[in-house]
Amino acid sequence: MLSIQNISKIYSSKSGEKPTIALDNISFEITKPEFVSVVGKSGAGKTTLLKLILAEESPTQGKILFDGIDVHKIKKSHLSCLRQRIGVVFQDYKLFPFKTIYENVAYVMEVMGAEEKEISRDVLQILELVGLADRVNNFPAELSGGEKQRAAIARALIHRPEVILADEPTGNLDPYNASDIVRLLNKIYEFGTTIVLATHNKEIINSLGKRVITLDEGKVIKDEKRGRFIL
Amino acid sequence: MLTSFKRIIKTGWKNFSRNISLSSATIFIMVMVISLATLLFIFNPISKTLISILQEKVDVSIYFKEEVSPEEILEVRSEVSKIPEVEEIGFISREQALEKFIERYKDNPVLIESLTEVGYNPFLASLNIKAHQSSQYEQVVKFLETGPFKDLIDKIDYYQRRPVIEKVFSFTAAVNKTGIFLGVILGVIAVLLAFNTIRIAIHNSGEEISIMRLVGASNWFIRGPFLVQGVVVGLIAALITLLITFGACYGFDSKVRAVAPEIGFFNIFLANFWSLLLIQLATGIGLGTVSSLIAIRKYLKI
């Protein structure tokens, strides 16, 4: 489903210093459905990898195929079609501050042109699933960190994407909320959605017992079917 | 398509009403911008009226000798009116000149008494000539001084009045030039002010726009609500400015009339109501939407 082929990403420095190599010729495949954790220290290239998959940035070299389509060859005006097939969860939630939780989640379905009835039914169902049924009309600023992240997951999940990219979704949460979020992601995977989880949380990785790709200084140093956190 | 259109309008309205402090600030700036456009629009007829009032006061009088009959003067008049440079020509008979004098100085017994002492009508019949431009008076006067009617003419007051005539015409030309220059400068300021205000307002939503792109929204689905907001801000600002214009024109009308009776602020407002409304709406909505479109571009590159 996702094929990462010889991807390198080098950021040139404006001040004339040495360019930064974020990713250095990495390749791997992700099948459908799969729960893959991408681990590594800060600066290992995890976020860059997710940004490249989402075509938020372009690679210096190599290509990423999503169902056989090179995502970086898609015209900017058509990128929305690719992104509607992917759900994204960010470390800092990135909820719309002036929309209620209901509207935040409903936005993705509105983008896809769903009918109001369908939106109302699905959004309430998904908010029930993530435990936010009583926060429907609240604004993001009125929610705790864990609640915000659950709302972000609901938004990433609402349109039943084929893959969810989660970039450090537990980075700002306490251990209780963090394990809640991971349990939720696991449940989504069991329903048949591919999850790509970028994290440096050792406990979470070790408790999952699923595929782990370890990045270090932009290179894949380990790719195990039932991996553990080894850094 | 229709569902998306409805959603865009609804979202635009919600964004506007939920972010009321920023919306109010934008409306405030837009009111100033539209007021500038209105000022330019209103001052155009006012300056034209002022200029024509001044120019109307400028003329040259040709006084005819006492023995010249009114028929002869009317013949001169018909000849002079054939000169293309002459805009208007009026005849004042000796009797009319006397009546005018009495009417003007009826409260001044000394002058009226001296007139009685003279014992006859001392005023001369005259033709008042108005030319299109100040430079044309000289040609007309030369024609009269050297032409077939020179023996009928007693005097022409052009040479005494020449400095005044030239001053009036150069002043009005300067007013016209300054008006155009100020118009261009104020117009540029207005456009920049509106554009920057909306740019700052959209900059606040920059991250939000990026998230919209990342969750799969198309460019038009993102742009739409901002355009709606631009239209709403422009519309409200235009209506507020219209009310302010109404109040100002109504309030200043009597005060300005006291100084310059020919200038009726309120009449100008009423006579130009629809064009004024159109200009205000076009300035508000046009600037609001075009500025939004330009300002949002850089955030849609993700």
Side-chain angles (χ1 to χ4, degrees), chain A residues 54 56 76 79-80 83-84 88 90 94 96-100 103 107 110-111 113-116 119 139 155, chain B residues 3-4 7 10-11 14-15 18-19 207-209 211-219 221-222 300-302:
Chain A
L54 207 55
E56 196 179 334
K76 283 240 183 276
L79 268 179
S80 54
R83 288 169 179 165
Q84 285 171 13
V88 207
F90 304 92
K94 293 203 192 299
F96 302 118
F98 296 110
K99 290 188 192 293
T100 63
E103 289 165 350
Y107 186 77
E110 286 177 355
V111 160
E115 290 298 321
E116 288 300 330
I119 294 177
F139 285 92
R155 186 179 65 187
Chain B
T3 320
S4 288
R7 272 178 194 152
K10 206 170 110 185
T11 313
K14 267 190 189 168
N15 291 352
R18 282 185 185 164
N19 211 342
E207 202 191 337
E208 219 174 311
I209 297 170
I211 305 167
M212 289 172 181
R213 281 288 291 159
L214 293 179
V215 299
S218 67
N219 281 351
F221 201 81
I222 298 171
L300 292 174
K301 285 185 183 153
I302 285 179

Side-chain angles (χ1 to χ4, degrees), chain A residues 114-174:
Chain A
E115 290 298 321
E116 288 300 330
K117 249 190 193 171
E118 196 188 341
I119 294 177
S120 161
R121 185 194 64 212
D122 288 6
V123 172
L124 293 175
Q125 252 177 23
I126 209 105
L127 286 175
E128 182 94 47
L129 179 79
V130 298
L132 290 175
D134 55 340
R135 302 298 232 162
V136 171
N137 292 320
N138 285 91
F139 285 92
E142 298 163 350
L143 266 58
S144 72
E147 285 174 324
K148 279 182 199 162
Q149 198 55 291
R150 277 185 275 148
I153 290 178
R155 186 179 65 187
L157 188 61
I158 185 73
H159 55 304
R160 299 183 187 87
E162 294 157 57
V163 56
I164 287 183
L165 306 177
D167 186 14
E168 306 271 14
T170 59
N172 286 345
L173 304 178
D174 60 46

Side-chain angles (χ1 to χ4, degrees), chain B residues 52-297:
Chain B
S52 69
I53 291 169
L54 275 178
Q55 287 183 344
E56 265 169 31
K57 289 197 193 300
V58 171
D59 59 10
V60 164
S61 297
I62 298 130
Y63 296 95
F64 292 89
K65 290 178 178 158
E66 267 181 54
E67 61 272 18
V68 178
S69 70
E71 289 73 29
E72 281 174 302
I73 296 174
L74 289 174
E75 200 193 320
V76 175
R77 178 174 137 161
S78 73
E79 281 304 309
V80 173
S81 62
K82 285 180 193 155
I83 304 172
E85 284 83 4
V86 173
E87 191 188 0
E88 212 180 300
I89 182 161
F91 169 60
I92 298 172
S93 65
R94 296 185 64 194
E95 294 69 29
Q96 282 169 328
L98 177 66
E99 274 169 32
K100 268 192 177 178
F101 183 87
I102 295 173
E103 176 64 27
R104 188 186 286 178
Y105 299 106
K106 63 184 174 196
D107 300 328
N108 191 333
V110 180
L111 278 177
I112 300 293
E113 213 172 288
S114 60
L115 193 63
T116 327
E117 265 177 37
V118 172
Y120 70 101
N121 179 0
F123 297 99
L124 296 174
S126 62
L127 283 178
N128 286 330
I129 296 174
K130 276 197 179 86
H132 293 286
Q133 284 170 20
S134 66
S135 56
Q136 292 167 339
Y137 281 107
E138 191 139 8
Q139 278 171 269
V140 178
V141 169
K142 275 218 173 104
F143 167 75
L144 289 163
E145 279 178 343
T146 54
F149 309 114
K150 63 178 181 192
D151 296 333
L152 307 177
I153 295 166
D154 183 71
K155 64 167 183 173
I156 298 174
D157 68 355
Y158 172 65
Y159 297 101
Q160 295 100 300
R161 301 189 70 176
R162 188 158 73 172
V164 180
I165 293 171
E166 278 170 0
K167 257 185 202 159
V168 166
F169 277 90
S170 73
F171 173 72
T172 54
V175 165
N176 268 334
K177 271 186 201 156
T178 317
I180 293 168
F181 179 70
L182 272 181
V184 170
I185 297 275
L186 289 181
V188 170
I189 290 175
V191 169
L192 287 179
L193 202 61
F195 174 65
N196 276 314
T197 310
I198 288 184
R199 206 173 60 125
I200 291 165
I202 286 185
H203 178 75
N204 265 357
S205 310
E207 202 191 337
E208 219 174 311
I209 297 170
S210 311
I211 305 167
M212 289 172 181
R213 281 288 291 159
L214 293 179
V215 299
S218 67
N219 281 351
W220 274 108
F221 201 81
I222 298 171
R223 261 189 218 123
F226 285 98
L227 290 185
V228 172
Q229 265 176 281
V231 170
V232 173
V233 165
L235 194 69
I236 295 178
L239 294 178
I240 293 176
T241 318
L242 189 70
L243 277 178
I244 294 174
T245 316
F246 170 80
C249 285
Y250 190 75
F252 284 119
D253 193 58
S254 55
K255 280 175 194 156
V256 175
R257 263 178 203 279
V259 188
E262 295 89 347
I263 297 170
F265 263 115
F266 196 60
N267 279 345
I268 290 174
F269 175 81
L270 288 180
N272 297 296
F273 179 80
W274 292 110
S275 20
L276 198 62
L277 182 69
L278 197 73
I279 281 179
Q280 293 182 334
L281 285 175
T283 314
I285 296 175
L287 280 179
T289 47
V290 172
S291 308
S292 299
L293 271 180
I294 297 172
I296 207 169
R297 263 174 47 197

Side-chain angles (χ1 to χ4, degrees), chain A residues 8-196:
Chain A
S8 293
K9 177 70 186 175
I10 299 165
Y11 292 105
S12 52
S13 161
K14 277 182 189 159
S15 57
E17 282 176 31
K18 229 172 75 178
T20 310
I21 302 172
L23 290 171
D24 188 2
N25 197 27
I26 63 164
S27 298
F28 58 86
E29 302 275 327
I30 296 175
T31 53
K32 196 177 167 181
E34 196 172 11
F35 194 124
V36 184
S37 300
V38 180
V39 303
K41 295 176 205 162
S42 294
K46 306 185 293 291
T47 301
T48 305
L49 177 64
L50 298 195
K51 280 184 173 174
L52 289 171
I53 295 174
L54 207 55
E56 196 179 334
E57 289 192 6
S58 303
T60 311
Q61 176 203 299
K63 55 186 173 184
I64 295 178
L65 303 180
F66 186 91
D67 274 349
I69 299 164
D70 187 342
V71 299
H72 297 105
K73 292 245 164 86
I74 301 174
K75 269 193 193 169
K76 283 240 183 276
S77 53
H78 294 146
L79 268 179
S80 54
C81 300
L82 166 80
R83 288 169 179 165
Q84 285 171 13
R85 298 173 65 188
I86 302 173
V88 207
V89 182
F90 304 92
Q91 178 176 358
D92 54 352
Y93 328 120
K94 293 203 192 299
L95 294 168
F96 302 118
F98 296 110
K99 290 188 192 293
T100 63
I101 296 307
Y102 177 92
E103 289 165 350
N104 260 281
V105 179
Y107 186 77
V108 182
M109 288 190 82
E110 286 177 355
V111 160
M112 298 179 80
E115 290 298 321
E116 288 300 330
K117 249 190 193 171
E118 196 188 341
I119 294 177
S120 161
R121 185 194 64 212
D122 288 6
V123 172
L124 293 175
Q125 252 177 23
I126 209 105
L127 286 175
E128 182 94 47
L129 179 79
V130 298
L132 290 175
D134 55 340
R135 302 298 232 162
V136 171
N137 292 320
N138 285 91
F139 285 92
E142 298 163 350
L143 266 58
S144 72
E147 285 174 324
K148 279 182 199 162
Q149 198 55 291
R150 277 185 275 148
I153 290 178
R155 186 179 65 187
L157 188 61
I158 185 73
H159 55 304
R160 299 183 187 87
E162 294 157 57
V163 56
I164 287 183
L165 306 177
D167 186 14
E168 306 271 14
T170 59
N172 286 345
L173 304 178
D174 60 46
Y176 303 105
N177 276 308
S179 55
D180 255 7
I181 295 297
V182 173
R183 215 173 299 133
L184 197 58
L185 289 173
N186 208 9
K187 207 194 282 184
I188 296 163
Y189 158 67
E190 281 163 9
F191 285 141
T193 306
T194 296
I195 308 280
V196 180

